[in-house]
Each structure stands twice: as C-alpha cells, then as structure tokens.
Amino acid sequence: MSFAHLHVHSEYSVLDGASKIKNLLKAAEKNGQPALALTDHGNMFGAKEFLDTAAKMKSPVKPIVGCEVYVAKGHRTEKKGREDQGSYHLILLAKNMQGYHNLIKMVSYGWIEGFYYKPRIDHELLEKYHEGIICSSACLGGEIPRAIMNGDIQRAEELALWYRSIFGDDYYLEIQRHKTEVPGADTSTFEKQERVNEVIFQIAAKYGIKVIATNDVHFVNKEDGPAHDRLICVSTNADYNDPKRMRYTQQEYLKSTEEMMEIFSDHPEVISNTLEIVDKIEPINLNSDPILPIFPLPEGFEDSNDYLHYLTYEGAKKRYGEDIPEGHRERLDFELATIKRMGFPDYFLIVQDFICAARNMGVWVGPGRGSAAGSAVAYCLTITDIDPIKYDLLFERFLNPDRISMPDIDIDFDDEGRYKVLKYVEDKYGKDHVSHVVTFGTMGTKSVIKDVGRIQSLPLQETDRLSKAVPKAITIEVDDNGEKKKKEVAPTIALCMEHVPEFKQAMESGNQTLIDTLVYSDKLEGTVRNTGVHACATIIGRGDLTDYIPISIATDKESGEDILVSQFEGTLIESAGMLKMDFLGLKTLSILRDAVENVRHSKGVEIDIFHIPIDDVKTYELFSRGDTVGVFQFESPGMQKWLKALQPSRFEDLIAMNALYRPGPMDYIPDFVDRKQGRQKIEY
C-alpha cells in the first residue's frame, strides 16, 4: 500500500510553513509516494511554482494544486469586530482545470471581498464554485472538528451532510494524529485529535462518508522541527523560552508511508482513501499562450492589424515627411508583418494609447530605452523617441519570430504622474482587468540573524555585531574544468561560519544561545518572510483577471485604497499567458518637468526639451567639464573623470561612453579616449 500527503504547507504559508517546494517534492519521491498536494493557508502563491518545479525535475510525484482556505463564520463580507475575526479551515483540491478555475475564483474572492485579518470565503462561494473540486474537513481548525470539540455533535453531522450535498463523493472527512514525545512540544493537540477522530469515524459510518488521513505538513524532515519552532516564534514575536508561547507538536513533517501506516494501523482504509483521491486528479497545466487584452477599435476599423498599420503610417508621415523613403517603408512593412504573425497588434495599440493619454494629461513620458528602441513601428507610434533606422538598431532584438516571447517595453513616467496613467488604464479596461504583481521578501543573511537572535534572547549588541560582520561578498575556490579559481559569491550564514572569523569564534564560544542563533539562522535563511508589491510591474488582462490567475489585495501607498495584486510573482506571470508591463516612475522626469516649469515662471520662456538640437555646443562643453550631477548614468565620479578625458563633441561619443562604462568593456575606455584624441591609431 502507498500513501499521498494531501494537507501540505510550503514557505508560502508565510511564517507558518518552513518547506521549500523543491524539497517537498524530493522527499515525496524518496518516500515512493505517488502524489503530493500543496495547500497553503488562504493563498495560491506557490501553485505555479509547484507545477513548474515538478515538471522541471521530471518528478514521478503527481502535483496536486490546492488551498487550505479560511471559511468565515457568517457571510464573507461581514466584519463585526473581534467576534468575527475567527474562521474555519477547509482543504480544497483542484480535480481538473475546471476545478482549478473555480478554486482561483474562490481564493481570489476570499481576498477581494472577504478579507478581514485573513482572506475568507463562505458557504455561498462553496456552493457556486464547487464543480471540479475535492474537499476535506481539515484539521482541528475545521468547521466539523470545532463543532465536535464544542460538544455539538448534531451540528457536526448537519455540516457533514451539507458538505456532502455540495461535493458528493468528492467530500471526505479528515483525521490527524500528532502524538509527540518531543520535550516541551504541544501534547494537548493529540488528545483533542483523538476525541475528534472518534466522532468523525461515527459520522462517517452513519452517513457513508469516506475518511482520509493527513499530517498537516509544515516542514520537510523530522529534524526540521526545532527550526520551525523558531519560525513560529518569529511569526508571533514570542520569546523562545516563554512557556506560554504557541507550540506545535513537531510531528508536522512529511512522514513516510510506513510511518503513516503505523500511526493509522487500526484504520488502514484512511491511508488507501488518499490514493482514491490521487486517481481522481487530472493533470493541470497552467502554462498558456499570451492572452492579450483586446484594444477597443474606433469606428471604421474592424481589425487591429489594419488599425495598427493606419496609425503607424500616419505617425511615419510626421516622423519622416509625407514622402516616406522606400527603405523606411520596407522596414515598417517588415515589422508590421512580424507583429501580425506573432499576434501582438493589440499590444502596440494598448501601449500607444496610454502613452498618448499620459501626454494629454500632462504626464511626462521618457523617450524609451531597452530593445523596444529597435522598433520603427514603436517610433512612429511615439512609444519611443529614438529613430532606430538612423542609428541602425535591430528590430530582431525586440521581436524575433524565431524566439516566441512577449514584447517588453519599459515605459518611464514622471513619478508623480505614474498613478494617473495606471488610473487611466483601470478606467479604460476595467478595474478587475488590471493588477499589480506580488513580490516575496525572504529572510536575508543579516535580517535572519536579527530575527532569530531576538527570539533566542541574544543580547542586541551581539546580533548587531554578527550582522555587521557579514561581508558584501565572500571569496571561495571553485573548480573550472579541473582548474581551481577564486570567485566572489554572495554571503550566506553557512559561508560566514566557514570564512568569517567572528562567526567561527561564535560557533566555538560554548555559548549555546549564540550557537543556536547561528544554527537556526542557517536553517531559516531564505525562507519567505513577507509579501510586497512590485514597484512597477502591471498586468492588463483580456477579462476579469480572476478568470486566469489567483488574485490578492494590498493597500496602495499613494492612495490608501485596496489594489489588486497577482498571487503569482513576476517570473511566472508571462508563462501563465498574462501581459505584464513595467510602468516605471522616474524621478529624473519629474526634475526635468519642474525645471521647464521653473524657467517658464521665472523667464517667461516655453522650452520644448524634446526638440532641443542634439548638436548643442554648450551642452557638450558641460559634459566635457564633467558637470553631470543629476544626469542619469553620467553622474558618478568615475564617469565624470572619463568625460573630462574624452571631451565628447557628438551624441555618438555619449552613446559609446554609456556602453563602455560597465564591468567588462570598462578596460577599453583608455583606448577609446586615446583614439578620440588622436593619440592612438583607430583599428577595427
């Protein structure tokens, strides 16, 4: 007989789970288990990473996407104060793609409509979105176990019947046994579980509902229990030595099949029933071709390709004159054909539309940068202000039909106007079509020492001393095809203990508090500590985003309002088919805008900085003096030194310096300067 863990928390159960997804899959494979579910608390942050990691590892373990949701005691929108803070746990697993879409709907609405201390769903959502979902009654925090512990057996039976009426044979009662012999660990949990389990078996027999065994996994290996114990202290801000603090049983690890069979030897069916669930699960693939928003076309146009062609050539007349040179036409036609073939006309229409709207609102827009500057279509649409034909820039670096990937245009707005542009996009496409992108903050080398030191009651001066002793980089020896080479790498606790004298001394000090701080800092380093919002990444969807990806909420720092935030982080968004754009707020643009406004106020002169001649002599004299403080990428002391040596006299000199002043080509700057000044012969 085999067994599958169907109640599992990763590090995305933030500050509660201490398991890396890859390590969970490895452990399940090592144990010979056929499947593994991921059921993080109230979120699906790790769902796509889970499936992608299993595919990349070519794991024989079937990944099951799920969530341990919080069920509100009443309606999800009710917020009655302290009495309404509590909620019940419930395990939901996606049986197929329909189940996945229903699961992301429920989890998203739990955040968008039901968030109150935690994201909460309710019975109404369960009724509406139950198709394709397998449900189990969860741990002691579940609705039925709570009713049993309260002595209300009738209520427990009513709930079991209600859930079965919704989910049918896909509803299971769930039991756990966390008997612990770990000194100081929680022993009361097992006693409660045994009382609850007895009644659950009675209800199961009475109404013909199957029972499954789970282990409420929060960490991978048994020996990880003490590290998880410290993580809970960090989460609750409790002193590790406080006898009244929250404690787990330390049995919440990914137990082997043999361990689970021994624990439930009196009820072997609860082990085999997990395999029945595994057999019901169909493979889920969250990768998708681009699902681009559809740009609303003006009257007279029925095809986005035709409208893009029209706008491009109208813009080309303004850029190149009414009589567009034949070579320019060939370039534009080639780009338009490529854009059409790759299915991206709406993308270009969307970008040109909000850039045009930004300018109409008085928001300053940057001239463009990155590979998008290689597109003549983008230039004609005024998405960029650099003529790629003049500077011989490659369109293929931006869009290449042989390498299918989403176009990526980084757009700079003045940092005060960025919010106006986002508001315009929300109003045009619908608030539910637009979201920001989640980020995950992890326990870094310095911060984890402070976190663990605090809960271990290590004196503050000691944690400060150790965190300050962490170097910027550590030099290690690596093997390069049989040759030993030295390489600088980012520091970790493990590397510090090996290479930094202060850490070596601490480990040999005999001070157990100090040693424990470093040992458990090492174990917890890199664990997700908090969520955030990406500074500029924005998703625009074809429809309501909850049709495609799970959504959470966060508070916007500028407006104080709730904003939608994807539950998948940036590197996974595009492979899920979503259009991600970077709306960057650039302070330099605000400075330029203010400078122009100041000149208008003080001198009565209107300056159009976008049409200042590019061969202005005084400007090159300024660069040659190194007077470049405040000029992006030209203001560092090193750059100022080389500008004085170079004496730039044309725009191409500045382009070359910008390209050369970075690691690698930096070594060639003296040669470049000598050749510019005629001291060295120019050779290619």
Side-chain angles (χ1 to χ4, degrees):
M1 190 185 291
S2 190
F3 167 80
H5 282 282
L6 301 176
H7 187 145
V8 181
H9 299 280
S10 74
E11 62 179 328
Y12 293 108
S13 290
V14 182
L15 291 183
D16 189 23
S19 319
K20 298 282 183 189
I21 283 171
K22 192 173 187 177
N23 295 341
L24 286 167
L25 285 163
K26 281 182 179 176
E29 182 178 351
K30 184 182 175 184
N31 290 334
Q33 292 163 355
L36 179 74
L38 186 68
T39 58
D40 281 313
H41 281 305
N43 73 66
M44 296 174 70
F45 293 144
K48 186 151 197 317
E49 182 187 330
F50 182 47
L51 294 179
D52 288 358
T53 303
K56 192 175 180 181
M57 290 169 62
K58 296 181 179 171
S59 173
V61 178
K62 182 192 286 189
I64 301 171
V65 174
C67 182
E68 183 170 19
V69 294
Y70 298 105
V71 182
K73 290 182 176 178
H75 195 271
R76 64 186 179 277
T77 58
E78 291 175 356
K79 299 172 183 179
K80 298 177 180 175
R82 187 169 293 277
E83 64 177 281
D84 200 39
Q85 287 178 30
S87 52
Y88 303 113
H89 294 195
L90 188 71
I91 294 291
L92 301 177
L93 307 174
K95 192 160 80 165
N96 46 37
M97 280 306 293
Q98 181 191 21
Y100 169 75
H101 284 293
N102 279 331
L103 184 58
I104 64 173
K105 277 286 183 188
M106 279 195 275
V107 171
S108 298
Y109 284 137
W111 284 84
I112 298 166
E113 298 176 350
F115 195 92
Y116 191 54
Y117 295 90
K118 291 174 180 174
R120 307 170 308 156
I121 67 165
D122 58 11
H123 284 197
E124 180 184 57
L125 287 177
L126 287 164
E127 282 187 274
K128 187 174 181 181
Y129 294 109
H130 67 275
E131 293 287 347
I133 286 178
I134 294 169
C135 173
S136 70
S137 58
C139 53
L140 293 179
E143 211 169 348
I144 290 171
R146 290 267 192 93
I148 294 169
M149 285 189 288
N150 290 336
D152 194 345
I153 309 303
Q154 184 181 341
R155 175 63 180 157
E157 291 185 3
E158 287 169 358
L159 284 165
L161 290 172
W162 183 84
Y163 276 104
R164 191 177 65 175
S165 74
I166 300 297
F167 293 97
D169 289 341
D170 288 332
Y171 178 65
Y172 295 81
L173 291 164
E174 184 176 340
I175 62 167
Q176 297 174 349
R177 284 175 176 166
H178 294 160
K179 189 174 185 180
T180 183
E181 282 85 35
V182 177
D186 178 20
T187 54
S188 64
T189 295
F190 178 68
E191 295 162 10
K192 292 173 188 171
Q193 286 171 337
E194 286 293 79
R195 291 202 306 272
V196 166
N197 293 350
E198 186 181 350
V199 178
I200 279 181
F201 280 121
Q202 291 168 6
I203 294 172
K206 188 174 181 179
Y207 298 108
I209 302 170
K210 289 184 178 177
V211 181
I212 59 167
T214 68
N215 200 55
D216 201 3
V217 176
H218 280 71
F219 45 96
V220 180
N221 304 304
K222 187 174 185 177
E223 57 268 26
D224 297 332
H228 178 260
D229 203 21
R230 268 81 176 174
L231 182 70
I232 297 304
C233 290
V234 172
S235 173
T236 56
N237 201 24
D239 190 311
Y240 177 72
N241 297 312
D242 183 354
K244 295 180 181 177
R245 68 175 175 84
M246 178 194 275
R247 293 174 191 269
Y248 275 57
T249 64
Q250 295 196 33
Q251 293 299 300
E252 295 84 3
Y253 62 95
L254 198 89
K255 289 178 176 168
S256 68
T257 300
E258 290 72 26
E259 286 175 296
M260 292 300 288
M261 287 174 68
E262 185 180 340
I263 291 167
F264 296 98
S265 58
D266 54 335
H267 284 280
E269 75 279 7
V270 301
I271 300 294
S272 59
N273 285 342
T274 64
L275 302 180
E276 176 181 292
I277 291 176
V278 170
D279 289 340
K280 290 180 179 182
I281 304 289
E282 297 172 15
I284 290 175
N285 181 10
L286 302 189
N287 293 326
S288 170
D289 291 333
I291 307 166
L292 294 174
I294 295 168
F295 183 78
L297 298 172
E299 209 172 312
F301 293 93
E302 293 181 4
D303 182 88
S304 54
N305 288 294
D306 293 341
Y307 187 50
L308 180 63
H309 187 279
Y310 166 77
L311 286 182
T312 300
Y313 270 91
E314 286 300 301
K317 290 172 189 175
K318 293 174 185 172
R319 293 292 200 185
Y320 302 121
E322 285 291 328
D323 191 14
I324 303 166
E326 188 56 36
H328 290 49
R329 284 181 177 274
E330 285 179 15
R331 170 72 174 257
L332 291 172
D333 289 343
F334 165 71
E335 289 192 17
L336 287 167
T338 303
I339 292 164
K340 180 179 180 178
R341 188 160 70 251
M342 294 179 75
F344 295 138
D346 287 283
Y347 176 91
F348 281 83
L349 292 172
I350 289 162
V351 175
Q352 68 81 31
D353 175 68
F354 66 66
I355 284 179
C356 182
R359 291 190 175 112
N360 290 338
M361 290 187 287
V363 176
W364 279 44
V365 184
R369 56 190 170 82
S371 60
S375 169
V377 168
Y379 177 60
C380 292
L381 295 173
T382 68
I383 291 170
T384 60
D385 269 324
I386 294 99
D387 183 355
I389 298 174
K390 178 181 176 182
Y391 291 102
D392 201 22
L393 303 179
L394 295 173
F395 174 69
E396 287 81 0
R397 271 208 60 201
F398 173 55
L399 273 188
N400 190 330
D402 296 328
R403 179 179 50 90
I404 302 298
S405 61
M406 293 279 270
D408 184 19
I409 301 176
D410 291 334
I411 305 139
D412 296 319
F413 300 104
D414 72 71
D415 57 357
E416 291 159 21
R418 176 178 173 273
Y419 179 74
K420 292 181 188 174
V421 184
L422 282 171
K423 186 78 172 63
Y424 170 82
V425 171
E426 280 185 359
D427 291 343
K428 181 161 186 125
Y429 298 98
K431 195 174 174 71
D432 58 2
H433 289 49
V434 180
S435 90
H436 299 259
V437 176
V438 73
T439 59
F440 300 105
T442 57
M443 291 184 158
T445 309
K446 290 186 176 185
S447 63
V448 75
I449 293 169
K450 291 180 179 178
D451 275 333
V452 178
R454 184 181 70 255
I455 61 105
Q456 289 281 168
S457 300
L458 188 69
L460 185 59
Q461 62 266 30
E462 277 295 285
T463 57
D464 275 353
R465 183 179 68 82
L466 286 170
S467 63
K468 284 174 182 173
V470 176
K472 286 184 179 177
I474 289 177
T475 304
I476 61 169
E477 264 196 359
V478 292
D479 190 290
D480 185 14
N481 292 327
E483 186 184 343
K484 294 285 184 186
K485 285 190 175 178
K486 290 190 174 181
K487 181 183 177 183
E488 280 199 346
V489 295
T492 63
I493 300 291
L495 283 172
C496 286
M497 288 195 283
E498 191 179 339
H499 295 278
V500 177
E502 289 89 342
F503 282 73
K504 288 181 182 177
Q505 289 162 13
M507 289 302 291
E508 294 165 3
S509 67
N511 181 335
Q512 197 57 47
T513 304
L514 193 54
I515 294 167
D516 284 350
T517 296
L518 291 182
V519 167
Y520 293 111
S521 292
D522 178 37
K523 289 183 180 294
L524 294 176
E525 184 178 21
T527 303
V528 171
R529 195 191 195 288
N530 59 277
T531 61
V533 180
H534 196 283
C536 53
T538 304
I539 298 168
I540 306 173
R542 181 175 293 181
D544 182 339
L545 285 173
T546 62
D547 291 340
Y548 307 104
I549 56 172
I551 293 292
S552 60
I553 57 166
T555 304
D556 184 62
K557 290 177 183 175
E558 292 179 41
S559 65
E561 297 175 1
D562 282 345
I563 53 172
L564 302 185
V565 183
S566 69
Q567 291 191 29
F568 296 161
E569 56 103 9
T571 59
L572 304 173
I573 283 295
E574 288 187 2
S575 62
M578 294 292 97
L579 170 63
K580 177 176 73 72
M581 295 183 179
D582 286 338
F583 284 54
L584 296 147
L586 195 63
K587 194 171 184 180
T588 303
L589 284 170
S590 298
I591 292 167
L592 290 170
R593 184 200 62 202
D594 292 346
V596 168
E597 190 61 21
N598 287 341
V599 170
R600 189 176 69 81
H601 274 298
S602 62
K603 306 290 185 186
V605 177
E606 296 277 356
I607 296 176
D608 180 0
I609 70 160
F610 297 105
H611 292 92
I612 289 175
I614 211 160
D615 57 356
D616 180 62
V617 175
K618 287 186 178 179
T619 303
Y620 289 107
E621 287 174 358
L622 181 145
F623 273 92
S624 296
R625 293 194 305 270
D627 287 345
T628 50
V629 171
V631 182
F632 184 54
Q633 293 202 353
F634 288 94
E635 61 182 327
S636 70
M639 176 63 96
Q640 289 175 334
K641 181 189 93 171
W642 285 117
L643 286 171
K644 289 175 189 175
L646 179 68
Q647 295 290 298
S649 57
R650 58 188 192 139
F651 196 61
E652 285 77 2
D653 292 342
L654 299 179
I655 292 171
M657 280 305 297
N658 191 32
L660 287 166
Y661 195 77
R662 57 197 71 226
M666 216 171 209
D667 294 343
Y668 296 98
I669 292 177
D671 286 347
F672 181 73
V673 170
D674 285 344
R675 290 178 182 190
K676 164 78 175 172
Q677 300 302 334
R679 293 188 291 269
Q680 194 175 319
K681 186 183 173 186
I682 295 172
E683 292 176 321
Y684 295 97

